[in-house]
C-alpha cells in the first residue's frame, strides 16, 4: 500500500497548473545530463519511497501524478519516456489495487475479481506498461467471455509472457480465434489453461489450434471440462506434432468417444516428451483403453498417468498392460473409481515389477478388489512408494495383513489412506507396529474404519514413540466406536504429533455424543501442537462454556475449529 505522503503528493500534484508542468519539464531537460531532481522533489519524500518499491518495473523518478496525462511531443526523449512509464505504472497500480490485488510487474493475478468487458478494455491499455509480464491469470471471471479480443490485440507488448490461465471465463469461439491470432506475439508461451470453458469445445478448438506454428513452446495444455467433441479431438490431434515441447496434457472431464480417442492418439507419436497425461472422468471404456495402450509405446518418458473415474473401463485394464510395462519412467498411476475387477488387478500385478520408478499408486474406491490387493501389495516396489491410497477398496483381512507385513519396507511412505475399510478396526496395531523409527509419514487417513478404543490407544503409543512426528494430516472421523478413554489418551500423548496441521475427529451425522470427557485434554494439548491450524469436531456436543474456551483459543492463535453451531444436539 502507498504511504499517506504519497497519497497527498498525488492529490496535490493534480492541482498544479499547466504552466507549472511545462516549467517542470524545461527544468528536467536542462538538468538531464546532471540528473538533478527538481526543487519540488525535496518536498515530496513519499513519492521517492513509492518509486523504490519492489513492484515498479525499470522506472525512475517522475513528477507526474498517477493517471495524469503528460506533455509529450513526437520525439522519444528519455525524460518523456520516464514520465510516461511512471504514469503508466501508476495506472496499473490503481487498476490492480481497486480489485483487491497486489501489483506485480511480472505476474498479473486477477482471478475471482468479477472483471467485466469494460475492465478488459482498460486492462488492454495497461499492457504497454507491463513489458516484464510473465504470468497472466484471469480465471473465474465469467463476464469477460466475448471480450478477449480487446486484450489479445495488445499482447505484443508482453512478449515475455509464459503462463496464461483463463479458467471459467465463458470463452467463446470468437475469443479462441482472437487468442490464436495473437500467439505469434507471445513466442515464449509455455502454459495455457482454458479449463472449465464450454465454449472451447463444440468444434471450436480448431480456432486456436489452427493458429499454432511448428516448434511452439507450449509444454503444458489444460482443457479440463471444455465439452470437447470428436471434432475437437481431431483438431487437438492435428496440433500435437506442432507442440514438440508438450510435457503435460490434461483433457479430464471431457466425454471422449472411441472415435475421439482414435483421432487424438493417432498423432501422439509426435509427442515423445510427454510426461503427464490426465484422462480423469473421460468416459473411457474397454476399447478406449485398448487404443490408449497402443499409444503408450510413443510415450517412453511418461511419468504420470491418471485414468481415474472411468467406470466403463472395468475389465479392460489387461488390454493396455502390455505397453504399460514399457513405462519405465512411470512414477504415478491413478486408477481410482474405475470399477476394477480382480482380473484387472491381477493384470496390473503382472506389469508392476517392470514399473521400477513407481512411487504413487491410487486404486481407491474400487470395492471389488479387496482380495486381490494381497497380490498387488507383494508386487509393489515398497522401498520407493511415497503415496498409497487404498481407501474404500473392500480390503480383506488377508490383504490387510499383507499391508501390515509391507509397512516395515515402506521407508519412504508419506501418504497412506485406508479409510472406509472395516478390516482395519480392531487391528490398527498391526499397521502402526511396523512403522520404522525414521517414518516419513505426513498424511494418515483412517476415516470410517470402525476403530476401537484399543486402536486409538495404539495410535497414542505410536505418537509417544515419535514415529508419527512428521504427520501433518490425521483423519480419524466417523469412528463412533472409539471410547472417551481412547481420545483422552491420544491427546495426552499429542506432543508426539508436533508437526500436525489438520486433525479430524468428527462423528457421523446424527450420532451426537458429549465431548466433555476428553475436550479438556485437547485444550491442554494445543500448546504442544504449534503447527495445528484446523480441527474438525462436527457432531460432538459442546457446552457453552466449552465453546467459549475454544473461541478464546482461536482468538489467540491461527486455529480454525469446525463444529456444529448448536451447543446441544437437535431434538
Amino acid at each position: 500500500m502507498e504511504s499517506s505522503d504519497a497519497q497527498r503528493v498525488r492529490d496535490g500534484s493534480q492541482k498544479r497548473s499547466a504552466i507549472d508542468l511545462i516549467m517542470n519539464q524545461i527544468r528536467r531537460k536542462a538538468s538531464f545530463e546532471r540528473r538533478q531532481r527538481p526543487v519540488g522533489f525535496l518536498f515530496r519524500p513519499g513519492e521517492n519511497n513509492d518509486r523504490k518499491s519492489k513492484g515498479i518495473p525499470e522506472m525512475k523518478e517522475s513528477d507526474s501524478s498517477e493517471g495524469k496525462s503528460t506533455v509529450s511531443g513526437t520525439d522519444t526523449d528519455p525524460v518523456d519516456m520516464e514520465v510516461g512509464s511512471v504514469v503508466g505504472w501508476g495506472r496499473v497500480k490503481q487498476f490492480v489495487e481497486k480489485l483487491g490485488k497486489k501489483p506485480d510487474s511480472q505476474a498479473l493475478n486477477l482471478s475471482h475479481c468479477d472483471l467485466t468487458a469494460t475492465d478488459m478494455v482498460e486492462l488492454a491499455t495497461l499492457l504497454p506498461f507491463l513489458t516484464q509480464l510473465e504470468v497472466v491469470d484471469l480465471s473465474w471471471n465469467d463476464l469477460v467471455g466475448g471480450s478477449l479480443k480487446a486484450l489479445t490485440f495488445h499482447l505484443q507488448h508482453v512478449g515475455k509472457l509464459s503462463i496464461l490461465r483463463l479458467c471459467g471465463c465463458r470463452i467463446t469461439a470468437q475469443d479462441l480465434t482472437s487468442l490464436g491470432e495473437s500467439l505469434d506475439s507471445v513466442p515464449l508461451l509455455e502454459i495455457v489453461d482454458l479449463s472449465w470453458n464450454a465454449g472451447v469445445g463444440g468444434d471450436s478448438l480448431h480456432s486456436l489450434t489452427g493458429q499454432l506454428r511448428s516448434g511452439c513452446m507450449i509444454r503444458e495444455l489444460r482443457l479440463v471440462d471444455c465439452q470437447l467433441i470428436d471434432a475437437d479431438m481431431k483438431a487437438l490431434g492435428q496440433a500435437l506434432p506442432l507442440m514438440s515441447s508438450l510435457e503435460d496434457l490434461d483433457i479430464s472431464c471431457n466425454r471422449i468417444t472411441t472415435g475421439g480417442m482414435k483421432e487424438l492418439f493417432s498423432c501422439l507419436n509426435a509427442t515423445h516428451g510427454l510426461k503427464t497425461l490426465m484422462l480423469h472422468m473421460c468416459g473411457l471404456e474397454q476399447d478406449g483403453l485398448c487404443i490408449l495402450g497402443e499409444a503408450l509405446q510413443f510415450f517412453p518418458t511418461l511419468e504420470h498417468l491418471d485414468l481415474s473415474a472411468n467406470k466403463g473401463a472395468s475389465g479392460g485394464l489387461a488390454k493396455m498392460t502390455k505397453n504399460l510395462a514399457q513405462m519405465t519412467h512411470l512414477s504415478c498411476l491413478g486408477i481410482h473409481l474405475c470399477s476394477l475387477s480382480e482380473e484387472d488387478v491381477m493384470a496390473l500385478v503382472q506389469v508392476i515389477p517392470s514399473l521400477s520408478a513407481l512411487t504413487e499408486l491410487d486404486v481407491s474406491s474400487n470395492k471389488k478388489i479387496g482380495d486381490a490387493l494381497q497380490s498387488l501389495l507383494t508386487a509393489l516396489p515398497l522401498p520407493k512408494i511415497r503415496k498409497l491410497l487404498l481407501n474404500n477398496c473392500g480390503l480383506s483381512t488377508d490383504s490387510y495383513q499383507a499391508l501390515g507385513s509391507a509397512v516395515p519396507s515402506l521407508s519412504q511412505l508419506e501418504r497412506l489412506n485406508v479409510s472406509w475399510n472395516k478390516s482395519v478396526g480392531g487391528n490398527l496395531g498391526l499397521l502402526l507396529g511396523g512403522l520404522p523409527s525414521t517414518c516419513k509419514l505426513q498424511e494418515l487417513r483412517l476415516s470410517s474404519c470402525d476403530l476401537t478404543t484399543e486402536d486409538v490407544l495404539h495410535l497414542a503409543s505410536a505418537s509417544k514413540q515419535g514415529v508419527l512426528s512428521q504427520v501433518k494430516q490425521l483423519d480419524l472421523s466417523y469412528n463412533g466406536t472409539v471410547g472417551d478413554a481412547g481420545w483422552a489418551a491420544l491427546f495426552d500423548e499429542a506432543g508426539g504429533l508436533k508437526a500436525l496441521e489438520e486433525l479430524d475427529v468428527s462423528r457421523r451425522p446424527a450420532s451426537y455424543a458429549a465431548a466433555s470427557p476428553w475436550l479438556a485434554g485437547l485444550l491442554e494439548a494445543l500448546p504442544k501442537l504449534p503447527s495445528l491450524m484446523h480441527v474438525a469436531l462436527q457432531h460432538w456436543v459442546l457446552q457453552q462454556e466449552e465453546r467459549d474456551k475454544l473461541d478464546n483459543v482461536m482468538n489467540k492463535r491461527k486455529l480454525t475449529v469446525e463444529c456444529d453451531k448448536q451447543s446441544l444436539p437437535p431434538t
Side-chain angles (χ1 to χ4, degrees), residues 368-443:
K368 299 179 181 179
I369 64 174
D371 291 330
L373 285 178
Q374 181 179 1
S375 300
L376 180 63
L377 289 168
T378 56
L380 289 174
L382 298 176
K384 294 183 179 181
I385 297 296
R386 294 188 291 107
K387 175 181 173 182
L388 186 58
L389 305 185
L390 305 173
N391 45 298
N392 200 22
C393 283
L395 201 62
S396 67
T397 301
D398 291 340
S399 294
Y400 180 70
Q401 290 179 348
L403 175 61
S405 300
V407 165
S409 300
L410 294 168
S411 56
Q412 302 300 314
L413 190 63
E414 297 177 358
R415 295 183 59 190
L416 176 62
N417 191 341
V418 290
S419 297
W420 300 89
N421 286 295
K422 306 307 179 184
S423 59
V424 179
N427 299 295
L428 188 58
L430 177 64
L431 190 67
L432 299 176
L435 292 176
S437 57
T438 57
C439 180
K440 298 182 179 180
L441 197 62
Q442 297 181 17
E443 180 180 326

Side-chain angles (χ1 to χ4, degrees), residues 50 52-59 89 93 103-106:
D50 184 59
K52 292 181 180 180
S53 64
K54 181 180 179 180
I56 301 181
E58 300 180 3
M59 299 178 184
W89 178 247
K93 289 182 63 178
D104 188 325
S105 61
Q106 295 182 324

Side-chain angles (χ1 to χ4, degrees), residues 231-251:
D232 299 308
M233 290 294 106
K234 182 178 181 179
L236 179 58
Q238 292 174 342
L240 288 176
L242 304 175
M243 295 186 284
S244 57
S245 299
L246 189 65
E247 297 180 355
D248 189 332
L249 176 62
D250 190 349
I251 52 176

Side-chain angles (χ1 to χ4, degrees), residues 477-493:
S477 61
Y478 292 7
N479 286 291
T481 49
V482 177
D484 295 332
W487 299 123
L490 177 62
F491 298 133
D492 188 48
E493 301 296 344

Side-chain angles (χ1 to χ4, degrees), residues 99-356:
L99 297 172
K101 299 288 186 174
K102 184 178 180 180
D104 188 325
S105 61
Q106 295 182 324
L108 185 64
N109 181 4
L110 299 179
S111 62
H112 299 279
C113 284
D114 294 325
L115 296 179
T116 64
T118 302
D119 293 324
M120 294 294 284
V121 173
E122 182 177 358
L123 177 59
T125 66
L126 301 177
L127 291 185
F129 310 110
L130 291 166
T131 56
Q132 304 302 311
L133 201 60
E134 298 178 6
V135 180
V136 171
D137 187 351
L138 304 180
S139 299
W140 306 111
N141 291 287
D142 57 4
L143 297 180
V144 305
S147 60
L148 202 57
K149 185 174 183 179
L151 185 69
T152 58
F153 187 76
H154 295 274
L155 284 184
Q156 72 272 15
H157 298 293
V158 289
K160 294 183 179 181
L161 188 67
S162 62
I163 300 176
L164 178 62
R165 301 190 187 280
L166 297 168
C167 305
C169 289
R170 294 190 179 181
I171 288 177
T172 65
Q174 181 182 4
D175 292 328
L176 284 179
T177 300
S178 301
L179 180 58
E181 292 173 347
S182 66
L183 288 178
D184 289 340
S185 302
V186 283
L188 302 181
L189 192 62
E190 295 183 348
I191 299 176
V192 178
D193 192 346
L194 304 177
S195 300
W196 295 286
N197 285 291
V200 172
D203 196 17
S204 296
L205 187 60
H206 68 89
S207 300
L208 173 65
T209 58
Q211 303 293 331
L212 293 174
R213 300 289 182 266
S214 178
C216 74
M217 300 293 291
I218 294 178
R219 60 178 177 81
E220 181 178 318
L221 179 61
R222 299 191 178 278
L223 301 171
V224 179
D225 195 10
C226 287
Q227 298 189 18
L228 304 180
I229 61 175
D230 287 0
D232 299 308
M233 290 294 106
K234 182 178 181 179
L236 179 58
Q238 292 174 342
L240 288 176
L242 304 175
M243 295 186 284
S244 57
S245 299
L246 189 65
E247 297 180 355
D248 189 332
L249 176 62
D250 190 349
I251 52 176
S252 298
C253 304
N254 292 286
R255 187 165 186 82
I256 305 176
T257 65
T258 300
M261 290 285 287
K262 290 180 179 179
E263 294 286 3
L264 175 63
F265 292 125
S266 63
C267 300
L268 276 178
N269 57 347
T271 55
H272 296 293
L274 195 67
K275 295 182 179 179
T276 299
L277 179 59
M278 308 292 286
L279 296 170
H280 173 88
M281 201 184 296
C282 285
L284 300 184
E285 299 181 350
Q286 292 188 17
D287 290 344
L289 288 184
C290 184
I291 296 172
L292 174 60
E294 295 175 356
L296 287 178
Q297 59 184 307
F298 302 116
F299 311 142
T301 61
L302 194 66
E303 298 176 359
H304 186 178
L305 177 61
D306 187 0
L307 303 176
S308 299
N310 289 289
K311 295 183 179 181
S314 176
L317 199 58
K319 296 185 177 181
M320 61 175 291
T321 51
K322 178 181 178 181
N323 289 309
L324 185 63
Q326 303 175 21
M327 302 291 97
T328 56
H329 294 276
L330 191 67
S331 61
C332 180
L333 177 60
I335 45 178
H336 82 264
L337 198 62
C338 285
S339 299
L340 297 182
S341 64
E342 291 190 358
E343 290 74 16
D344 289 320
V345 175
M346 296 311 297
L348 184 60
V349 168
Q350 299 301 314
V351 301
I352 284 291
S354 301
L355 306 180
S356 56

